[in-house]
Amino acid sequence: MVARVVAWGRARQDVRAIVLYGSLAQPHARVDDLSDVDIEITFAAVTPELLTGSWWREFGTVWSAYSMDPLPMWALVYEGGLTVDLVVVDDSRMAEMTQRLSPNWELGYRVLLDRDGITRRLPAPGGQPLGRGRLTDTEFRRLVDGFWYDGLRVPKYIARGQLWMAKTRDWAAKAHLLRLLEWHSIVLGGFRVDGFGRGRHMPTWLAPELWEAVHGVFGRFDADDAWRALENSVELFWRVAGEVSAASGFSFPTEEDEHLREWMEHLLGRAAAVSAGVVDR
């Protein structure tokens, strides 16, 4: 697939550069037969045809094609199940990268075609996830409040029997919990987190006891298991937020957090009653 894309690019004068990134370009990445092919193609100009056309069919039989924003990208599945992400940019993107590589490129990239030498000024990849800097009190509080905002809606939807909505809010709350787990590993363990906000390679950076606890925060699509998983999520959130705040000099739990947890437990009780058939939905 990579060879086909490069050959196609060499035959088109509007293609200025082709760069492979992702796990296939990372020296120490875990690569297997399920790995994606991630390619960024720099064009002289990004035309409507590149954004809406089907030029990527020249690389093989396509089973599925999905366009993604904000960075124009075609997410493609080719015959045999090979997933290919084709990013479409102009040379202004490359100019930005000479100042600072994107997180994906920082882990590793490989120039496959450079018609004008526009990649020569690119920094060498560091081979490690970018550092997240220092966790601020404001960001910490935002994560805590975000967890409460989404998490408190989960038992409401469980109590109403709206399980899909409960799952939707639960996943949003999990995003805040994940970032707190990442900061826990950074602040208390000194780890560099791979794939910030995505949970990649979690067992390699998350403390073993927290990794074990994470296994209890997901539930099945039924009310009883949904509130059990939420209880575990709140318990893990409370522990992680407390340890991060203590290590960082932040305030947690506040009096408001205590009230919010009490209200969460009240709502969980109502949701549990619904799942047991005690009250009418």
Side-chain angles (χ1 to χ4, degrees):
M1 177 58 67
V2 173
R4 290 177 197 166
V5 175
V6 173
W8 177 86
R10 291 187 186 279
R12 287 185 57 136
Q13 289 303 308
D14 61 336
V15 174
R16 313 317 299 166
I18 300 176
V19 177
L20 179 72
Y21 66 99
S23 59
L24 295 181
Q26 298 165 11
H28 306 295
R30 303 174 184 181
V31 177
D32 55 29
D33 60 342
L34 300 177
S35 296
D36 298 343
V37 177
D38 302 296
I39 293 179
E40 185 163 311
I41 307 177
T42 302
F43 292 88
V46 177
T47 63
E49 185 271 334
L50 294 173
L51 299 178
T52 62
S54 57
W55 48 274
W56 26 262
R57 293 190 182 278
E58 298 183 40
F59 306 144
T61 301
V62 177
W63 283 355
S64 174
Y66 179 65
S67 60
M68 300 176 65
D69 292 325
L71 189 67
M73 182 174 81
W74 283 101
L76 307 158
V77 180
Y78 285 87
E79 184 178 25
L82 177 63
T83 302
V84 180
D85 291 340
L86 293 175
V87 177
V88 177
V89 296
D90 58 27
D91 56 9
S92 64
R93 160 82 166 166
M94 202 66 69
E96 294 173 3
M97 298 271 260
T98 61
Q99 304 300 316
R100 181 180 175 85
L101 292 175
S102 72
N104 287 333
W105 286 39
E106 183 65 33
L107 291 171
Y109 67 86
R110 183 150 50 95
V111 177
L112 305 175
L113 174 67
D114 185 352
R115 186 165 272 121
D116 307 312
I118 60 175
T119 66
R120 292 174 187 166
R121 295 178 55 201
L122 290 175
Q128 294 289 333
L130 289 174
R132 300 302 303 180
R134 183 180 177 85
L135 177 63
T136 65
D137 190 15
T138 299
E139 183 174 358
F140 172 77
R141 194 66 237 175
R142 180 175 176 80
L143 291 175
V144 168
D145 289 337
F147 180 86
W148 288 130
Y149 175 80
D150 289 305
L152 283 167
R153 281 155 177 76
V154 178
K156 291 183 181 182
Y157 288 123
I158 296 175
R160 294 168 180 165
Q162 299 173 340
L163 292 180
W164 193 279
M165 290 297 295
K167 284 292 185 183
T168 300
R169 284 297 188 178
D170 181 64
W171 183 247
K174 292 288 195 297
H176 303 295
L177 175 59
L178 173 58
R179 288 189 176 266
L180 281 170
L181 289 167
E182 291 168 337
W183 277 117
H184 187 281
S185 295
I186 294 169
V187 172
L188 279 79
F191 287 99
R192 281 179 175 265
V193 175
D194 183 3
F196 201 71
R198 292 182 291 172
R200 290 185 59 189
H201 305 152
M202 186 179 280
T204 67
W205 50 261
L206 190 61
E209 65 274 13
L210 296 181
W211 171 244
E212 182 178 351
V214 166
H215 285 69
V217 303
F218 291 92
R220 298 187 303 273
F221 193 70
D222 65 71
D224 184 64
D225 209 46
W227 67 255
R228 176 204 59 79
L230 181 59
E231 281 188 312
N232 291 338
S233 297
V234 173
E235 194 67 35
L236 181 58
F237 155 77
W238 196 263
R239 172 185 174 179
V240 171
E243 292 178 359
V244 170
S245 66
S248 305
F250 304 150
S251 179
F252 182 89
T254 64
E255 183 179 351
E256 290 77 15
D257 291 318
E258 297 282 3
H259 290 316
L260 286 162
R261 183 166 188 178
E262 290 173 3
W263 181 240
M264 173 69 84
E265 290 171 351
H266 168 75
L267 292 174
L268 282 167
R270 289 186 59 178
V274 168
S275 69
V278 175
V279 298
D280 187 359
R281 296 184 182 183

